[in-house]
Amino acid sequence: MSEAIGAYDLVIRGQRILTTAGLAAREVGIRDGIIVAIEPLGNGLTGNEVIELADDETLIPGLVDTHVHVNEPGRTEWEGFASATRAAAAGGVTTIIDMPLNSIPPTTTVDGLEQKRVVAKDQAFVDVGFWGGAIPGNKSDLRPLHDEGVFGFKCFLLHSGVDEFPHLDADEMEEDMKELKSFDSLMIVHAEDSHAIDRAPHPGGDHYETFLASRPRGAENKAIAEVIERARWTGARAHILHLSSSDALPMIASAKRDGVNLTVETCPHYLTLMAEEIPDGATAYKCCPPIREASNRELLWKGLQDGTIDCIVSDHSPSTLDLKDLENGDFAVAWGGVSSLQLGLSLIWTEARHRGIPLEQVVSWMAEKPAALARLHNKGQLALGYDADFSIFAPDEAFVVDVTKLKHKNPITPYDGRPLAGVVRKTYLRGTPIDGQNPGGKLLRRGNV
């Protein structure tokens, strides 16, 4: 107990502190941005600042969102590091990993990575890491990008939506997987099959069911099967992005049982929305792969609970309002992407509590598991030696989403007007409250975090 005599920079005391042992009455001591003491409540840790949690507040670790499109530089009018990281902090997210598109240039070369770091470094309110991109012809760039600290590599198996980030075919993906295996990197895959989508009905018009038919489950299932087999053959680590087709769960579970090095994510929109309730012309709901039926949603929840799906991340993919074709509501024309970076925790918690799923499990899916995916060994848990990243969360407080009050750049989200449970009252990065005025986020490098 001699350690407790010297004052900590910050001490937080409360009845509900979410540690690795679950919710408990604890005192947490922070020094130099690191959690250095976790003691039973009443042990009397002293600090330069002491925070006493209110009875309705829970201290939870900062969330880790490994699927965020920041789009800066090049398409900063869609989103930028300042607006995206403010939104993240408001939602209890303290670490994001930025996707290699839709910025210009994409993060497919070391130069492209450096351009992102230059613009990000003075305007990040949370910690930011970067994925690299795997595209045709950049195999020789993969190792240099890895050595520069990217957390893995993203590829598409069909057109990405932007011409500067072309897709791989399955054989090219396998070649790149072999390369990544040689230095133990990770391939993260947008898994929809281009041939299946080419043969599907055209998505034109404002009927959501027409759009849904244009992105069939079969396209996802076929592409996921390719990822599984190429990962099996190469031994590489592979990750399925934004799973929406519940049909794929049995083969994913089978592959995991076989020892294929595979992980899977899904997103709040697939777990909280359903095709049957999407109005015609409501292009705020458009994303690829699409939001599917209620029965599909229920199976995704089961896949999370049985461990087939590993984590929940936002796939925050914003654009300007005009690109959403709000005037005509044409699902073929509108940009595909859901803006929800600030809302993920409340969305998932609102659904989870109806299902009897505890907050500890929600936080594991949204903090611990994404941190493990990216091998962020000091993020995602309230534990000794970890960064003091956390938020004060009021799980029983309700609010109604008001798109005009969200922090991301363009005021559109399918959740506008939706009542939710769970309010993030304050977020801390390395023991310092995030105020939205003074950017304190660090740029993270793989293996050096």
Side-chain angles (χ1 to χ4, degrees), residues 13 74 92 94 109 134 151-152 154 172 182 202 218 247 308 327 329 332 363-364 371 388-389 428 439:
R13 301 188 187 123
T94 52
T109 64
F151 286 84
K154 181 177 189 177
E172 290 170 324
S182 72
H202 183 72
D247 293 354
T308 307
E327 217 169 279
V363 172
S364 175
D389 301 346
Y428 290 76

Side-chain angles (χ1 to χ4, degrees), residues 1-8 29-31 35-39 44-46:
M1 287 297 295
S2 59
E3 183 79 15
I5 295 167
Y8 297 93
I30 292 131
R31 187 178 294 135
I35 297 168
V36 293
I38 300 176
E39 308 246 348
L45 300 188
T46 61

